[in-house]
Amino acid sequence: MQGKKKFTPKIFYQLSLDALVPEDNFYRKIQSELGLDFLYKATRNYYGKEGQASIDPVVFFKILLVGYLNNINSDRALLRYCSNSLDVRLFLGYDLDEELPWHSTLSRTRQLFGEELFLELFRKVLSLCVEKGMVRGKRQAVDSAFIKANASMDSLVEKEVLEDASAFVDELEENSEYKVTTERKKLVDRHHAWKEKECKGMPGNTKKVRYDEDGEEIRPKYLSNHTHYSPTDPDAKISVKPGKARQLNYSGQLAVDDAHHVITGACASTSGSKDSVIFPEIMNQTLENLSLNQMQTEEVLADAGYSSGESLKYCKERGINA
């Protein structure tokens, strides 16, 4: 006989969250392997002695970990996911009838904590990987990747043009990133004019000519870090990869151990920075992270973007084969 399931919600239930989550659940394994109680001491100085209690710092970092493992980069979407997942609720320590923190609480707490706290957690996880024999330490591979910024290209504002030499001197004194001299603007305009001429007739540049209400040809708007910046996110820079549209990005630097592809170092910079310039920063952190686990690096693998006299000098001084 064919069955047909009927659902009638009950008013009262007698069950426990712990019984609903299998014993071999992934988050149960993380809970048993990764102890985060050290975060209470590490975050103590960020809070006062009175007032309303904050979000539990361990819960905060567990929520961020869930977001990373599930590739969720929106606080609203992340909390919806946590609320709907039984195993995540058990991992966070929130029962079925408990309301999770607000998304704005995550944003404010993320801004409250300093970089050193996130680095301390990163090193804790790395030490666990070392204990499990997942890190060799001898050879590290370094590379970068664009990280899309949460800012629109339409929000870009043209930098202020300085018309006289005295203003240019003031710019040098204040070391402003958001002003450009008239001479530099001429060089940028000349570059754009050359690009428009050279790209004419190429695929992607043979679009139909459009005209405005005055009959003037609407020319494509060339945007450059020399002439424009984002007022909503000044750290984001215009960048492009072959075959992809221009967008505002950061540059993420990663160092990975070659044994089991465990990340041993990570830092961020503006996408306009050359990899060779950031090389000492990512290597300093990586070498320090490994030294805390009594490991020494002998070789570094990197592409041509990291090749420079300074990078080779850095490796030679530390006895590293590049």
Side-chain angles (χ1 to χ4, degrees), residues 12-54:
F12 302 103
Y13 292 87
Q14 186 174 357
L15 51 82
S16 68
L17 180 60
D18 183 71
L20 294 174
V21 180
E23 290 296 329
D24 61 348
N25 179 262
F26 175 71
Y27 289 104
R28 281 187 184 271
K29 295 179 180 179
I30 294 181
Q31 182 78 5
S32 62
E33 295 290 341
L34 182 60
L36 296 177
D37 287 347
F38 72 93
L39 290 171
Y40 292 118
K41 182 179 179 181
T43 59
R44 188 176 301 161
N45 294 333
Y46 290 96
Y47 298 102
K49 305 256 184 217
E50 299 178 355
Q52 186 176 358
S54 71

Side-chain angles (χ1 to χ4, degrees), residues 263-311:
I263 297 174
T264 54
C267 67
S269 62
T270 59
S271 59
S273 304
K274 292 182 178 179
D275 289 339
S276 58
V277 177
I278 310 299
F279 181 74
E281 181 180 351
I282 179 62
M283 285 306 301
N284 284 340
Q285 186 198 126
T286 303
L287 295 178
E288 183 178 357
N289 291 344
L290 293 173
S291 66
L292 293 174
N293 293 281
Q294 291 73 49
M295 288 186 166
Q296 187 173 359
T297 299
E298 300 177 10
E299 300 175 2
V300 173
L301 305 178
D303 59 24
Y306 291 90
S307 179
S308 69
E310 290 77 10
S311 298

Side-chain angles (χ1 to χ4, degrees), residues 133-198:
M134 300 170 61
V135 181
R136 186 170 65 151
K138 177 182 178 181
R139 182 183 296 115
Q140 306 299 309
V142 180
D143 203 358
S144 65
F146 285 152
I147 302 173
K148 189 178 185 304
N150 188 20
S152 171
M153 292 284 286
D154 295 332
S155 67
L156 293 178
V157 176
E158 191 168 4
K159 294 181 179 180
E160 181 184 348
V161 178
L162 304 181
E163 299 294 348
D164 52 41
S166 61
F168 176 54
V169 173
D170 293 338
E171 178 199 358
L172 292 179
E173 291 178 348
E174 67 186 20
N175 193 26
S176 173
E177 295 183 6
Y178 310 122
K179 297 180 181 179
V180 60
T181 63
T182 52
E183 184 64 27
R184 191 173 182 182
K185 185 174 185 296
K186 289 179 182 178
L187 293 175
V188 174
D189 290 342
R190 188 184 307 165
H191 173 73
H192 287 168
W194 167 84
K195 182 188 292 184
E196 185 176 3
K197 180 181 177 181
E198 292 297 322

